Amino acid sequence: MKVLHLISGGDTGGAKTHIINLCSKLKNLVQLKIICFMYGPFYDEVKNASIDIDVIPQRSRFDLSVVDKLYHLIEEEGYDIIHCHGARANFIGMFLKRKVKNKPFITTIHSDFDLDFQDVFYKRIIFSYLNKVSLKRFDYFISVGSALISKIKSLGVDDKRIFLLYNGFDFAKEISFEEKDTFLSRYMDKSVYQSNTIVGNLSRLYKVKGLDVFIKAANLVVKDNPNVIFLIGGSGPQREFLQNMINEFKLNNKVFLLGNIKNPYDFFNTIDINVISSYSETFPYSILEATALEKCCISSKVGSVPDLIEDGENGFLFEVGDYKELAKKIETLLNNKELITTFGKRLSQKAKEKFSAENMAKMQFEIYKKITQKR
């Protein structure tokens, strides 16, 4: 079986991590190649993972000259399945499908496609519309969480064309990270974090990530808990807005915006409690990355997160947007620090059993087999 994966190459979120973790294991089960449309960190990471990848450069998002090049590649190499990831690849896939006959076209839905571009007005209007038009042309859909299935159905897609595939993580790979003091010394004096419990949130600075919820909860927690600080790792268009919130609440010595974090494990090694405060998610990789270091997690009740976190058993969940409930959950852990360690170990154990990259690749292979048998 030969599978061609298409992805923009500019991805920085879950789609990027998903395809690297998936293909690093899937390459042992099928012949695969990844094509992206720009050079950058994604290309370098895939190359370093010894996954077959090439670039067919686009001059712009609407440069469709790549379609003919992809068509000739598919015909020459004899690919059985074309598998797209993300809005740009979906858009190209829509035109490619008109030329490529009798080959199944699959797209993986990594997030709520109505929310993907909400931070930039013209992208929200144009790209969201084009993505939904493109999606309706695909033969099969893979949802990276059970919560997205109803969203896919809203496009008029029949159940039989939708498959569920949870994100998976390669827990066997070697993880490297900086020591806590080395990492934090770039951002603050040792006296700021010494003897403090550290609560962290690593995500892109977009509205959908609910970092305003995180800051509002921090504002409540620090009033009765002086020995705690909050770290936000990531970059994005909401940085100024979030900094203004921190200034307004006078939390400058309690909540810190660290900016872009190159190695997520530097961040997760540093914190004691990992928080996901998103308004919408499918199944965020940041939880799995943190569980690799046995970090305790509190998350909003979004997407398929409750399939991993059992509230009160191996972590805490709170209702979307409820910063008061999030604050209470953080305070519960601050008052019972043994729970932080206990939840971290339990969560890591469950993640390794049910959300490994090996399991994800095997499930993907079975999905491919079902699709080729149907056709």
Side-chain angles (χ1 to χ4, degrees):
M1 187 184 297
K2 298 186 73 173
V3 182
L4 182 66
H5 288 263
L6 305 180
I7 187 169
S8 77
D11 305 77
T12 58
K16 179 199 80 168
T17 309
H18 174 95
I19 200 169
I20 293 173
N21 282 332
L22 173 66
C23 291
S24 65
K25 304 298 179 183
L26 190 61
K27 68 181 182 180
N28 301 320
L29 303 174
V30 302
Q31 293 184 55
L32 66 83
K33 177 188 280 291
I34 299 172
I35 295 291
C36 59
F37 308 113
M38 64 182 75
Y39 288 97
F42 174 81
Y43 174 84
D44 295 335
E45 284 189 49
V46 173
K47 202 76 174 173
N48 290 337
S50 300
I51 300 167
D52 187 8
I53 184 170
D54 281 325
V55 176
I56 301 180
Q58 268 188 306
R59 292 186 298 272
S60 72
R61 183 181 287 268
F62 299 105
D63 174 16
L64 295 178
S65 64
V66 298
V67 173
D68 281 338
K69 295 173 184 176
L70 287 167
Y71 169 70
H72 291 303
L73 176 68
I74 291 166
E75 292 297 304
E76 290 170 7
E77 299 295 328
Y79 287 100
D80 303 298
I81 292 172
I82 295 83
H83 190 160
C84 297
H85 302 262
R88 181 178 291 206
N90 292 339
F91 183 66
I92 292 168
M94 174 176 65
F95 291 95
L96 183 62
K97 193 174 187 297
R98 296 176 182 177
K99 298 174 71 69
V100 177
K101 306 300 181 183
N102 301 317
K103 306 276 187 183
F105 274 68
I106 305 169
T107 181
T108 294
I109 307 298
H110 295 275
S111 57
D112 185 334
F113 41 78
D114 280 325
L115 300 176
D116 283 343
F117 301 103
Q118 69 168 348
D119 286 274
V120 182
F121 178 74
Y122 80 90
K123 288 185 178 181
R124 184 169 73 246
I125 300 300
I126 299 173
F127 294 160
S128 291
Y129 170 76
L130 290 176
N131 190 31
K132 284 196 278 190
V133 170
S134 304
L135 287 171
K136 292 178 181 180
R137 304 300 194 273
F138 278 81
D139 300 308
Y140 300 99
F141 298 78
I142 294 173
S143 171
V144 297
S146 55
L148 274 178
I149 291 177
S150 60
K151 192 74 185 178
I152 298 170
K153 287 182 181 178
S154 72
L155 296 170
V157 179
D158 185 82
D159 279 339
K160 295 177 181 177
R161 295 163 57 202
I162 304 172
F163 298 89
L164 175 63
L165 179 72
Y166 285 112
N167 281 332
F169 184 80
D170 186 1
F171 290 100
K173 73 177 182 180
E174 185 178 347
I175 294 174
S176 60
F177 48 82
E178 291 183 326
E179 292 300 318
K180 179 177 177 178
D181 286 349
T182 305
F183 177 72
L184 286 178
S185 64
R186 297 195 191 97
Y187 307 102
M188 64 195 74
D189 188 83
K190 190 172 184 177
S191 61
V192 177
Y193 63 84
Q194 199 170 30
S195 303
N196 281 328
T197 301
I198 301 178
V199 183
N201 190 322
L202 181 64
S203 63
R204 292 171 294 158
L205 308 188
Y206 287 82
K207 289 180 183 177
V208 73
K209 297 300 182 180
L211 293 163
D212 57 326
V213 177
F214 184 68
I215 293 172
K216 288 176 183 176
N219 186 48
L220 295 180
V221 171
V222 298
K223 290 176 180 177
D224 296 318
N225 298 274
N227 295 324
V228 59
I229 62 171
F230 295 78
L231 307 182
I232 297 174
S235 58
Q238 276 219 306
R239 183 181 178 93
E240 184 178 351
F241 169 78
L242 297 172
Q243 187 60 61
N244 288 338
M245 277 190 73
I246 293 169
N247 296 341
E248 182 182 342
F249 288 134
K250 298 180 181 177
L251 294 173
N252 299 83
N253 64 338
K254 287 296 181 181
V255 180
F256 300 87
L257 296 176
L258 305 187
N260 185 52
I261 306 296
K262 291 184 179 179
N263 181 4
Y265 306 107
D266 293 342
F267 184 88
F268 291 128
N269 176 61
T270 294
I271 66 173
D272 301 295
I273 301 168
N274 181 35
V275 172
I276 308 291
S277 54
S278 304
Y279 290 108
S280 175
E281 287 281 359
T282 50
F283 191 90
Y285 261 106
S286 58
I287 292 181
L288 295 178
E289 289 170 334
T291 59
L293 297 179
E294 296 189 345
K295 295 298 176 178
C296 167
C297 185
I298 305 173
S299 176
S300 52
K301 205 178 293 183
V302 287
S304 297
V305 171
D307 294 342
L308 172 60
I309 298 179
E310 303 166 71
D311 190 34
E313 293 296 323
N314 60 3
F316 282 134
L317 298 170
F318 65 96
E319 295 297 330
V320 172
D322 192 342
Y323 66 91
K324 292 181 180 178
E325 187 183 0
L326 171 57
K328 288 179 181 177
K329 303 280 185 172
I330 295 172
E331 288 174 337
T332 298
L333 293 176
L334 294 176
N335 294 328
N336 188 354
K337 291 187 179 178
E338 289 182 1
L339 266 184
I340 297 175
T341 303
T342 301
F343 280 174
K345 290 183 181 298
R346 289 178 183 173
L347 193 65
S348 180
Q349 182 179 356
K350 183 174 181 179
K352 289 174 181 176
E353 290 172 358
K354 296 191 175 183
F355 298 93
S356 69
E358 289 84 0
N359 287 343
M360 176 172 62
K362 289 174 184 176
M363 288 178 66
Q364 182 68 84
F365 180 57
E366 292 301 318
I367 291 170
Y368 287 156
K369 287 202 296 184
K370 287 177 184 178
I371 287 172
T372 52
Q373 288 165 5
K374 281 183 179 183
R375 300 177 73 89

